[in-house]
Amino acid sequence: MAVLVAVLAGPRVAALFRDVTPPSAETLTTGCQWKIIRKIAGVYEEPRKDAPRIKTKEKDNKVGPYCTKWTNPEDGKTYIPVTTDSAIDRIGWIDASTLTPA
């Protein structure tokens, strides 16, 4: 029934039925390194545009080790998790548009 309502009502309603929970630490794949390509990039506690910035990385800094990408259906941005001592669970999130493979 929910799928039918989402189809009939359009993409805004369909977004309500998407999973808005980022991947858990146990499901993140490792083995990747990323390089910051902008002057600065924020590291956030959670993968959402209104989350508090917990750290800032500068251009050419390398981050990692996660390969997993997650697109937040609420803000449309794609985020990549990174290891940081600044995060409660030691995992911060960076907007993928500020990164390139290292």
Short mmCIF file of all heavy atoms in Angstrom, two decimals, residues 8-78:
data_model
loop_
_atom_site.label_atom_id
_atom_site.label_comp_id
_atom_site.label_asym_id
_atom_site.label_seq_id
_atom_site.Cartn_x
_atom_site.Cartn_y
_atom_site.Cartn_z
N LEU A 8 1.87 7.10 -6.68
CA LEU A 8 0.81 8.02 -7.09
C LEU A 8 1.06 9.46 -6.65
O LEU A 8 0.67 10.39 -7.32
CB LEU A 8 -0.54 7.54 -6.55
CG LEU A 8 -1.04 6.21 -7.12
CD1 LEU A 8 -2.34 5.80 -6.43
CD2 LEU A 8 -1.24 6.30 -8.62
N ALA A 9 1.73 9.64 -5.52
CA ALA A 9 1.91 10.98 -4.97
C ALA A 9 3.18 11.66 -5.46
O ALA A 9 3.33 12.86 -5.30
CB ALA A 9 1.92 10.92 -3.45
N GLY A 10 4.12 10.93 -6.03
CA GLY A 10 5.32 11.55 -6.57
C GLY A 10 6.55 11.36 -5.71
O GLY A 10 6.52 10.72 -4.67
N PRO A 11 7.68 11.97 -6.15
CA PRO A 11 8.98 11.74 -5.50
C PRO A 11 9.07 12.25 -4.07
O PRO A 11 9.80 11.70 -3.26
CB PRO A 11 9.98 12.46 -6.40
CG PRO A 11 9.17 13.40 -7.23
CD PRO A 11 7.80 12.81 -7.32
N ARG A 12 8.37 13.31 -3.72
CA ARG A 12 8.46 13.81 -2.34
C ARG A 12 7.92 12.80 -1.34
O ARG A 12 8.50 12.57 -0.31
CB ARG A 12 7.72 15.13 -2.20
CG ARG A 12 8.46 16.28 -2.79
CD ARG A 12 7.83 17.57 -2.42
NE ARG A 12 8.63 18.65 -2.95
CZ ARG A 12 8.23 19.89 -3.01
NH1 ARG A 12 7.04 20.22 -2.57
NH2 ARG A 12 9.02 20.82 -3.48
N VAL A 13 6.79 12.21 -1.66
CA VAL A 13 6.24 11.20 -0.77
C VAL A 13 7.10 9.95 -0.81
O VAL A 13 7.33 9.32 0.22
CB VAL A 13 4.77 10.88 -1.14
CG1 VAL A 13 4.26 9.71 -0.32
CG2 VAL A 13 3.90 12.11 -0.90
N ALA A 14 7.61 9.59 -1.98
CA ALA A 14 8.47 8.41 -2.08
C ALA A 14 9.69 8.55 -1.18
O ALA A 14 10.15 7.58 -0.59
CB ALA A 14 8.91 8.20 -3.53
N ALA A 15 10.21 9.75 -1.03
CA ALA A 15 11.37 9.99 -0.17
C ALA A 15 11.07 9.65 1.28
O ALA A 15 11.96 9.26 2.03
CB ALA A 15 11.84 11.44 -0.28
N LEU A 16 9.83 9.77 1.68
CA LEU A 16 9.45 9.45 3.05
C LEU A 16 9.64 7.98 3.36
O LEU A 16 9.80 7.59 4.51
CB LEU A 16 7.99 9.85 3.30
CG LEU A 16 7.67 11.33 3.23
CD1 LEU A 16 6.17 11.54 3.36
CD2 LEU A 16 8.41 12.09 4.30
N PHE A 17 9.62 7.14 2.33
CA PHE A 17 9.72 5.71 2.54
C PHE A 17 11.13 5.18 2.35
O PHE A 17 11.36 4.00 2.49
CB PHE A 17 8.75 4.99 1.60
CG PHE A 17 7.32 5.33 1.90
CD1 PHE A 17 6.65 6.28 1.16
CD2 PHE A 17 6.66 4.72 2.96
CE1 PHE A 17 5.34 6.61 1.45
CE2 PHE A 17 5.35 5.04 3.26
CZ PHE A 17 4.68 5.99 2.52
N ARG A 18 12.09 6.04 2.03
CA ARG A 18 13.49 5.62 1.89
C ARG A 18 14.12 5.49 3.26
O ARG A 18 13.73 6.16 4.21
CB ARG A 18 14.27 6.64 1.07
CG ARG A 18 13.87 6.68 -0.36
CD ARG A 18 14.81 7.59 -1.14
NE ARG A 18 14.19 7.96 -2.37
CZ ARG A 18 14.18 9.17 -2.88
NH1 ARG A 18 14.81 10.15 -2.27
NH2 ARG A 18 13.58 9.43 -4.01
N ASP A 19 15.16 4.68 3.31
CA ASP A 19 15.89 4.51 4.56
C ASP A 19 16.76 5.75 4.79
O ASP A 19 17.60 6.08 3.96
CB ASP A 19 16.76 3.27 4.48
CG ASP A 19 17.48 2.97 5.78
OD1 ASP A 19 17.15 3.59 6.80
OD2 ASP A 19 18.37 2.11 5.77
N VAL A 20 16.55 6.43 5.89
CA VAL A 20 17.33 7.63 6.20
C VAL A 20 18.38 7.34 7.27
O VAL A 20 18.94 8.25 7.86
CB VAL A 20 16.44 8.82 6.63
CG1 VAL A 20 15.57 9.26 5.47
CG2 VAL A 20 15.60 8.47 7.84
N THR A 21 18.64 6.08 7.52
CA THR A 21 19.64 5.69 8.51
C THR A 21 20.95 5.39 7.80
O THR A 21 20.99 4.55 6.90
CB THR A 21 19.17 4.44 9.27
OG1 THR A 21 17.89 4.70 9.84
CG2 THR A 21 20.16 4.07 10.36
N PRO A 22 22.03 6.09 8.17
CA PRO A 22 23.32 5.80 7.52
C PRO A 22 23.80 4.40 7.87
O PRO A 22 23.34 3.80 8.85
CB PRO A 22 24.25 6.87 8.10
CG PRO A 22 23.60 7.34 9.34
CD PRO A 22 22.13 7.12 9.18
N PRO A 23 24.73 3.87 7.11
CA PRO A 23 25.24 2.52 7.39
C PRO A 23 25.90 2.46 8.77
O PRO A 23 26.51 3.43 9.21
CB PRO A 23 26.25 2.26 6.28
CG PRO A 23 26.41 3.52 5.52
CD PRO A 23 25.36 4.48 5.96
N SER A 24 25.77 1.31 9.41
CA SER A 24 26.40 1.13 10.72
C SER A 24 27.89 0.86 10.54
O SER A 24 28.35 0.46 9.47
CB SER A 24 25.75 -0.05 11.45
OG SER A 24 26.02 -1.25 10.76
N ALA A 25 28.65 1.06 11.61
CA ALA A 25 30.10 0.86 11.58
C ALA A 25 30.44 -0.56 11.13
O ALA A 25 31.44 -0.77 10.43
CB ALA A 25 30.70 1.15 12.95
N GLU A 26 29.61 -1.52 11.50
CA GLU A 26 29.88 -2.92 11.17
C GLU A 26 29.75 -3.19 9.67
O GLU A 26 30.30 -4.17 9.17
CB GLU A 26 28.92 -3.84 11.93
CG GLU A 26 29.06 -3.80 13.44
CD GLU A 26 28.38 -2.58 14.07
OE1 GLU A 26 27.38 -2.07 13.50
OE2 GLU A 26 28.87 -2.13 15.11
N THR A 27 29.01 -2.36 8.94
CA THR A 27 28.79 -2.62 7.51
C THR A 27 29.70 -1.81 6.60
O THR A 27 29.67 -1.98 5.39
CB THR A 27 27.33 -2.34 7.14
OG1 THR A 27 27.05 -0.94 7.34
CG2 THR A 27 26.37 -3.18 7.95
N LEU A 28 30.52 -0.92 7.16
CA LEU A 28 31.40 -0.08 6.34
C LEU A 28 32.55 -0.90 5.78
O LEU A 28 33.18 -1.67 6.49
CB LEU A 28 31.95 1.08 7.18
CG LEU A 28 30.93 2.05 7.75
CD1 LEU A 28 31.62 3.08 8.63
CD2 LEU A 28 30.13 2.73 6.64
N THR A 29 32.84 -0.73 4.49
CA THR A 29 33.98 -1.41 3.89
C THR A 29 35.22 -0.52 4.00
O THR A 29 35.13 0.70 3.94
CB THR A 29 33.71 -1.75 2.41
OG1 THR A 29 33.41 -0.55 1.70
CG2 THR A 29 32.56 -2.72 2.27
N THR A 30 36.36 -1.16 4.18
CA THR A 30 37.62 -0.42 4.36
C THR A 30 38.57 -0.68 3.20
O THR A 30 38.34 -1.54 2.37
CB THR A 30 38.31 -0.82 5.69
OG1 THR A 30 38.58 -2.21 5.65
CG2 THR A 30 37.44 -0.49 6.89
N GLY A 31 39.66 0.08 3.18
CA GLY A 31 40.70 -0.12 2.17
C GLY A 31 40.86 1.06 1.22
O GLY A 31 41.62 0.97 0.27
N CYS A 32 40.17 2.16 1.48
CA CYS A 32 40.26 3.32 0.59
C CYS A 32 40.92 4.51 1.28
O CYS A 32 40.79 4.68 2.49
CB CYS A 32 38.86 3.74 0.13
SG CYS A 32 38.07 2.52 -0.93
N GLN A 33 41.62 5.31 0.51
CA GLN A 33 42.18 6.57 0.97
C GLN A 33 41.64 7.66 0.05
O GLN A 33 41.54 7.47 -1.16
CB GLN A 33 43.70 6.55 0.93
CG GLN A 33 44.32 5.65 1.98
CD GLN A 33 44.13 6.20 3.38
OE1 GLN A 33 44.44 7.35 3.66
NE2 GLN A 33 43.60 5.38 4.27
N TRP A 34 41.32 8.79 0.64
CA TRP A 34 40.76 9.92 -0.10
C TRP A 34 41.61 11.16 0.15
O TRP A 34 42.21 11.30 1.21
CB TRP A 34 39.33 10.19 0.38
CG TRP A 34 38.44 9.00 0.28
CD1 TRP A 34 38.19 8.07 1.26
CD2 TRP A 34 37.69 8.58 -0.86
NE1 TRP A 34 37.33 7.11 0.79
CE2 TRP A 34 37.00 7.41 -0.50
CE3 TRP A 34 37.53 9.10 -2.14
CZ2 TRP A 34 36.16 6.74 -1.38
CZ3 TRP A 34 36.68 8.43 -3.02
CH2 TRP A 34 36.02 7.26 -2.64
N LYS A 35 41.65 12.06 -0.83
CA LYS A 35 42.38 13.31 -0.70
C LYS A 35 41.39 14.46 -0.79
O LYS A 35 40.49 14.46 -1.63
CB LYS A 35 43.43 13.43 -1.81
CG LYS A 35 44.31 14.66 -1.68
CD LYS A 35 45.49 14.62 -2.64
CE LYS A 35 45.03 14.89 -4.05
NZ LYS A 35 46.13 15.09 -5.00
N ILE A 36 41.56 15.44 0.10
CA ILE A 36 40.71 16.63 0.11
C ILE A 36 41.07 17.48 -1.11
O ILE A 36 42.25 17.78 -1.33
CB ILE A 36 40.90 17.46 1.40
CG1 ILE A 36 40.70 16.59 2.65
CG2 ILE A 36 40.00 18.69 1.41
CD1 ILE A 36 39.33 16.06 2.87
N ILE A 37 40.06 17.90 -1.90
CA ILE A 37 40.33 18.68 -3.10
C ILE A 37 39.89 20.13 -2.99
O ILE A 37 40.15 20.92 -3.89
CB ILE A 37 39.69 18.03 -4.35
CG1 ILE A 37 38.18 17.86 -4.18
CG2 ILE A 37 40.37 16.70 -4.66
CD1 ILE A 37 37.46 17.38 -5.43
N ARG A 38 39.26 20.50 -1.91
CA ARG A 38 38.87 21.89 -1.70
C ARG A 38 39.79 22.51 -0.66
O ARG A 38 40.54 21.82 0.02
CB ARG A 38 37.42 21.98 -1.23
CG ARG A 38 36.46 21.53 -2.31
CD ARG A 38 35.08 22.02 -2.04
NE ARG A 38 34.18 21.56 -3.09
CZ ARG A 38 32.91 21.32 -2.92
NH1 ARG A 38 32.36 21.51 -1.73
NH2 ARG A 38 32.17 20.90 -3.92
N LYS A 39 39.71 23.82 -0.52
CA LYS A 39 40.57 24.52 0.45
C LYS A 39 40.37 23.95 1.85
O LYS A 39 41.34 23.68 2.56
CB LYS A 39 40.27 26.01 0.42
CG LYS A 39 41.20 26.83 1.27
CD LYS A 39 40.96 28.31 1.10
CE LYS A 39 41.91 29.08 1.98
NZ LYS A 39 41.74 30.53 1.83
N ILE A 40 39.12 23.75 2.23
CA ILE A 40 38.81 23.09 3.51
C ILE A 40 37.61 22.18 3.32
O ILE A 40 36.79 22.38 2.42
CB ILE A 40 38.53 24.09 4.66
CG1 ILE A 40 37.33 24.97 4.34
CG2 ILE A 40 39.74 24.90 5.00
CD1 ILE A 40 36.80 25.74 5.52
N ALA A 41 37.52 21.16 4.16
CA ALA A 41 36.37 20.25 4.16
C ALA A 41 35.99 19.98 5.60
O ALA A 41 36.85 19.71 6.44
CB ALA A 41 36.71 18.96 3.45
N GLY A 42 34.71 20.07 5.88
CA GLY A 42 34.23 19.79 7.23
C GLY A 42 34.07 18.30 7.45
O GLY A 42 33.69 17.56 6.54
N VAL A 43 34.36 17.88 8.67
CA VAL A 43 34.09 16.51 9.10
C VAL A 43 32.94 16.63 10.09
O VAL A 43 33.01 17.43 11.03
CB VAL A 43 35.32 15.87 9.77
CG1 VAL A 43 35.01 14.45 10.23
CG2 VAL A 43 36.52 15.88 8.83
N TYR A 44 31.89 15.84 9.86
CA TYR A 44 30.66 15.97 10.65
C TYR A 44 30.38 14.72 11.45
O TYR A 44 30.75 13.62 11.06
CB TYR A 44 29.48 16.27 9.71
CG TYR A 44 29.70 17.55 8.94
CD1 TYR A 44 30.32 17.54 7.70
CD2 TYR A 44 29.36 18.77 9.49
CE1 TYR A 44 30.57 18.72 7.01
CE2 TYR A 44 29.60 19.96 8.80
CZ TYR A 44 30.20 19.92 7.57
OH TYR A 44 30.45 21.08 6.90
N GLU A 45 29.72 14.89 12.57
CA GLU A 45 29.37 13.77 13.45
C GLU A 45 28.40 12.82 12.74
O GLU A 45 28.48 11.61 12.92
CB GLU A 45 28.75 14.29 14.74
CG GLU A 45 28.46 13.22 15.77
CD GLU A 45 29.70 12.60 16.38
OE1 GLU A 45 30.60 13.34 16.80
OE2 GLU A 45 29.78 11.36 16.43
N GLU A 46 27.51 13.37 11.95
CA GLU A 46 26.51 12.58 11.23
C GLU A 46 26.48 13.02 9.76
O GLU A 46 26.81 14.16 9.47
CB GLU A 46 25.13 12.79 11.85
CG GLU A 46 25.04 12.36 13.29
CD GLU A 46 23.71 12.74 13.91
OE1 GLU A 46 22.77 13.11 13.18
OE2 GLU A 46 23.60 12.66 15.13
N PRO A 47 26.06 12.14 8.86
CA PRO A 47 26.03 12.50 7.44
C PRO A 47 24.78 13.28 7.05
O PRO A 47 23.87 12.78 6.41
CB PRO A 47 26.08 11.13 6.74
CG PRO A 47 25.42 10.21 7.71
CD PRO A 47 25.78 10.72 9.08
N ARG A 48 24.76 14.54 7.47
CA ARG A 48 23.66 15.44 7.10
C ARG A 48 24.17 16.86 7.14
O ARG A 48 25.07 17.20 7.91
CB ARG A 48 22.43 15.26 7.99
CG ARG A 48 22.68 15.40 9.46
CD ARG A 48 21.44 15.04 10.28
NE ARG A 48 21.74 15.05 11.68
CZ ARG A 48 21.79 16.13 12.46
NH1 ARG A 48 21.51 17.31 11.95
NH2 ARG A 48 22.08 16.05 13.73
N LYS A 49 23.60 17.72 6.28
CA LYS A 49 24.14 19.06 6.11
C LYS A 49 24.00 19.95 7.34
O LYS A 49 24.75 20.89 7.50
CB LYS A 49 23.54 19.74 4.88
CG LYS A 49 22.07 20.06 4.99
CD LYS A 49 21.58 20.72 3.73
CE LYS A 49 20.10 21.02 3.81
NZ LYS A 49 19.59 21.60 2.60
N ASP A 50 23.07 19.64 8.22
CA ASP A 50 22.91 20.47 9.42
C ASP A 50 23.55 19.87 10.66
O ASP A 50 23.36 20.36 11.77
CB ASP A 50 21.43 20.78 9.66
CG ASP A 50 20.60 19.54 9.89
OD1 ASP A 50 21.07 18.42 9.59
OD2 ASP A 50 19.45 19.67 10.36
N ALA A 51 24.36 18.82 10.50
CA ALA A 51 25.07 18.21 11.63
C ALA A 51 26.20 19.13 12.07
O ALA A 51 26.76 19.87 11.26
CB ALA A 51 25.63 16.85 11.23
N PRO A 52 26.55 19.09 13.34
CA PRO A 52 27.67 19.91 13.81
C PRO A 52 29.01 19.48 13.20
O PRO A 52 29.27 18.29 13.07
CB PRO A 52 27.68 19.71 15.32
CG PRO A 52 26.79 18.57 15.61
CD PRO A 52 25.95 18.32 14.41
N ARG A 53 29.80 20.48 12.81
CA ARG A 53 31.15 20.20 12.30
C ARG A 53 32.03 19.90 13.51
O ARG A 53 32.09 20.67 14.45
CB ARG A 53 31.70 21.39 11.54
CG ARG A 53 33.05 21.09 10.91
CD ARG A 53 33.69 22.27 10.26
NE ARG A 53 32.75 22.96 9.37
CZ ARG A 53 33.13 23.88 8.49
NH1 ARG A 53 34.38 24.21 8.38
NH2 ARG A 53 32.23 24.47 7.74
N ILE A 54 32.73 18.77 13.46
CA ILE A 54 33.57 18.38 14.58
C ILE A 54 35.05 18.56 14.29
O ILE A 54 35.87 18.52 15.20
CB ILE A 54 33.29 16.93 15.01
CG1 ILE A 54 33.46 15.96 13.84
CG2 ILE A 54 31.89 16.81 15.61
CD1 ILE A 54 33.35 14.50 14.20
N LYS A 55 35.37 18.78 13.02
CA LYS A 55 36.77 18.93 12.63
C LYS A 55 36.82 19.51 11.23
O LYS A 55 35.86 19.42 10.47
CB LYS A 55 37.44 17.55 12.65
CG LYS A 55 38.92 17.54 12.54
CD LYS A 55 39.46 16.13 12.76
CE LYS A 55 40.94 16.19 12.98
NZ LYS A 55 41.48 14.91 13.42
N THR A 56 37.95 20.10 10.87
CA THR A 56 38.15 20.62 9.52
C THR A 56 39.43 20.03 8.96
O THR A 56 40.45 19.94 9.66
CB THR A 56 38.26 22.16 9.54
OG1 THR A 56 37.06 22.70 10.10
CG2 THR A 56 38.45 22.73 8.16
N LYS A 57 39.36 19.59 7.71
CA LYS A 57 40.54 19.08 7.01
C LYS A 57 40.89 20.07 5.91
O LYS A 57 40.02 20.74 5.36
CB LYS A 57 40.27 17.70 6.41
CG LYS A 57 39.86 16.64 7.43
CD LYS A 57 40.91 16.39 8.47
CE LYS A 57 41.96 15.45 8.00
NZ LYS A 57 42.97 15.12 8.98
N GLU A 58 42.18 20.16 5.57
CA GLU A 58 42.65 21.10 4.55
C GLU A 58 42.98 20.39 3.25
O GLU A 58 43.17 19.17 3.22
CB GLU A 58 43.89 21.83 5.07
CG GLU A 58 43.59 22.67 6.30
CD GLU A 58 44.82 23.36 6.85
OE1 GLU A 58 45.95 23.10 6.35
OE2 GLU A 58 44.66 24.15 7.78
N LYS A 59 43.06 21.18 2.17
CA LYS A 59 43.37 20.65 0.84
C LYS A 59 44.62 19.78 0.89
O LYS A 59 45.60 20.10 1.56
CB LYS A 59 43.57 21.79 -0.15
CG LYS A 59 43.75 21.31 -1.56
CD LYS A 59 43.79 22.44 -2.55
CE LYS A 59 43.93 21.84 -3.94
NZ LYS A 59 43.74 22.81 -4.98
N ASP A 60 44.56 18.67 0.19
CA ASP A 60 45.62 17.67 0.06
C ASP A 60 45.79 16.77 1.28
O ASP A 60 46.60 15.84 1.24
CB ASP A 60 46.96 18.29 -0.33
CG ASP A 60 46.91 18.90 -1.72
OD1 ASP A 60 46.18 18.38 -2.59
OD2 ASP A 60 47.60 19.92 -1.95
N ASN A 61 45.04 17.02 2.38
CA ASN A 61 45.05 16.07 3.50
C ASN A 61 44.47 14.75 3.00
O ASN A 61 43.59 14.74 2.14
CB ASN A 61 44.20 16.55 4.66
CG ASN A 61 44.83 17.64 5.50
OD1 ASN A 61 44.14 18.27 6.27
ND2 ASN A 61 46.12 17.89 5.38
N LYS A 62 44.97 13.65 3.54
CA LYS A 62 44.43 12.34 3.20
C LYS A 62 43.59 11.82 4.37
O LYS A 62 43.94 12.02 5.53
CB LYS A 62 45.55 11.38 2.85
CG LYS A 62 46.21 11.77 1.54
CD LYS A 62 47.16 10.75 1.05
CE LYS A 62 47.70 11.23 -0.29
NZ LYS A 62 49.04 10.79 -0.54
N VAL A 63 42.47 11.19 4.00
CA VAL A 63 41.55 10.63 5.00
C VAL A 63 41.15 9.23 4.55
O VAL A 63 41.34 8.85 3.42
CB VAL A 63 40.30 11.53 5.19
CG1 VAL A 63 40.68 12.88 5.77
CG2 VAL A 63 39.53 11.69 3.89
N GLY A 64 40.57 8.49 5.46
CA GLY A 64 40.12 7.13 5.13
C GLY A 64 39.73 6.43 6.41
O GLY A 64 39.51 7.07 7.42
N PRO A 65 39.69 5.15 6.44
CA PRO A 65 39.99 4.15 5.42
C PRO A 65 38.76 3.58 4.73
O PRO A 65 38.82 2.55 4.07
CB PRO A 65 40.66 3.06 6.24
CG PRO A 65 39.85 3.03 7.51
CD PRO A 65 39.49 4.50 7.75
N TYR A 66 37.60 4.23 4.90
CA TYR A 66 36.35 3.64 4.43
C TYR A 66 36.09 3.90 2.95
O TYR A 66 36.42 4.95 2.43
CB TYR A 66 35.18 4.15 5.28
CG TYR A 66 35.35 3.82 6.74
CD1 TYR A 66 35.65 4.80 7.67
CD2 TYR A 66 35.24 2.51 7.18
CE1 TYR A 66 35.82 4.48 9.00
CE2 TYR A 66 35.41 2.18 8.52
CZ TYR A 66 35.70 3.17 9.42
OH TYR A 66 35.87 2.87 10.75
N CYS A 67 35.45 2.92 2.30
CA CYS A 67 35.10 3.01 0.88
C CYS A 67 33.60 3.28 0.68
O CYS A 67 33.18 3.69 -0.39
CB CYS A 67 35.44 1.70 0.17
SG CYS A 67 37.17 1.22 0.32
N THR A 68 32.83 3.01 1.69
CA THR A 68 31.37 3.13 1.62
C THR A 68 30.95 4.57 1.35
O THR A 68 31.45 5.49 1.98
CB THR A 68 30.75 2.66 2.95
OG1 THR A 68 31.21 1.34 3.24
CG2 THR A 68 29.24 2.68 2.89
N LYS A 69 30.02 4.73 0.42
CA LYS A 69 29.42 6.04 0.17
C LYS A 69 27.94 5.93 0.54
O LYS A 69 27.32 4.89 0.33
CB LYS A 69 29.53 6.44 -1.29
CG LYS A 69 30.94 6.69 -1.75
CD LYS A 69 30.97 7.11 -3.21
CE LYS A 69 32.39 7.36 -3.67
NZ LYS A 69 32.44 7.78 -5.07
N TRP A 70 27.39 7.00 1.10
CA TRP A 70 25.98 6.99 1.46
C TRP A 70 25.36 8.32 1.07
O TRP A 70 25.88 9.38 1.40
CB TRP A 70 25.80 6.76 2.96
CG TRP A 70 24.37 6.65 3.36
CD1 TRP A 70 23.53 5.61 3.11
CD2 TRP A 70 23.60 7.60 4.09
NE1 TRP A 70 22.28 5.86 3.63
CE2 TRP A 70 22.30 7.08 4.24
CE3 TRP A 70 23.89 8.85 4.62
CZ2 TRP A 70 21.29 7.77 4.90
CZ3 TRP A 70 22.89 9.54 5.29
CH2 TRP A 70 21.60 8.99 5.43
N THR A 71 24.25 8.26 0.34
CA THR A 71 23.53 9.47 -0.05
C THR A 71 22.36 9.66 0.89
O THR A 71 21.50 8.78 1.01
CB THR A 71 23.04 9.37 -1.50
OG1 THR A 71 24.18 9.20 -2.36
CG2 THR A 71 22.31 10.65 -1.92
N ASN A 72 22.35 10.80 1.56
CA ASN A 72 21.28 11.13 2.48
C ASN A 72 20.06 11.57 1.66
O ASN A 72 20.13 12.57 0.95
CB ASN A 72 21.73 12.25 3.42
CG ASN A 72 20.71 12.57 4.48
OD1 ASN A 72 19.51 12.43 4.28
ND2 ASN A 72 21.18 13.01 5.63
N PRO A 73 18.96 10.84 1.74
CA PRO A 73 17.79 11.20 0.93
C PRO A 73 17.14 12.51 1.35
O PRO A 73 16.40 13.11 0.59
CB PRO A 73 16.84 10.02 1.13
CG PRO A 73 17.25 9.40 2.41
CD PRO A 73 18.73 9.65 2.54
N GLU A 74 17.45 12.99 2.55
CA GLU A 74 16.85 14.24 3.02
C GLU A 74 17.52 15.47 2.42
O GLU A 74 16.87 16.46 2.14
CB GLU A 74 16.88 14.30 4.54
CG GLU A 74 15.98 13.24 5.18
CD GLU A 74 16.08 13.24 6.68
OE1 GLU A 74 17.08 13.74 7.25
OE2 GLU A 74 15.15 12.71 7.31
N ASP A 75 18.86 15.43 2.24
CA ASP A 75 19.54 16.61 1.68
C ASP A 75 20.16 16.33 0.31
O ASP A 75 20.67 17.25 -0.33
CB ASP A 75 20.57 17.18 2.65
CG ASP A 75 21.74 16.26 2.96
OD1 ASP A 75 22.03 15.35 2.17
OD2 ASP A 75 22.38 16.47 4.01
N GLY A 76 20.12 15.08 -0.14
CA GLY A 76 20.62 14.73 -1.47
C GLY A 76 22.13 14.68 -1.60
O GLY A 76 22.65 14.44 -2.68
N LYS A 77 22.85 14.90 -0.51
CA LYS A 77 24.31 14.88 -0.57
C LYS A 77 24.84 13.48 -0.30
O LYS A 77 24.26 12.72 0.47
CB LYS A 77 24.91 15.84 0.47
CG LYS A 77 24.71 17.30 0.13
CD LYS A 77 25.50 18.17 1.08
CE LYS A 77 25.37 19.62 0.65
NZ LYS A 77 26.39 20.44 1.29
N THR A 78 25.97 13.18 -0.93
CA THR A 78 26.64 11.91 -0.70
C THR A 78 27.79 12.14 0.26
O THR A 78 28.55 13.10 0.11
CB THR A 78 27.15 11.31 -2.03
OG1 THR A 78 26.02 11.10 -2.89
CG2 THR A 78 27.88 10.00 -1.82
#
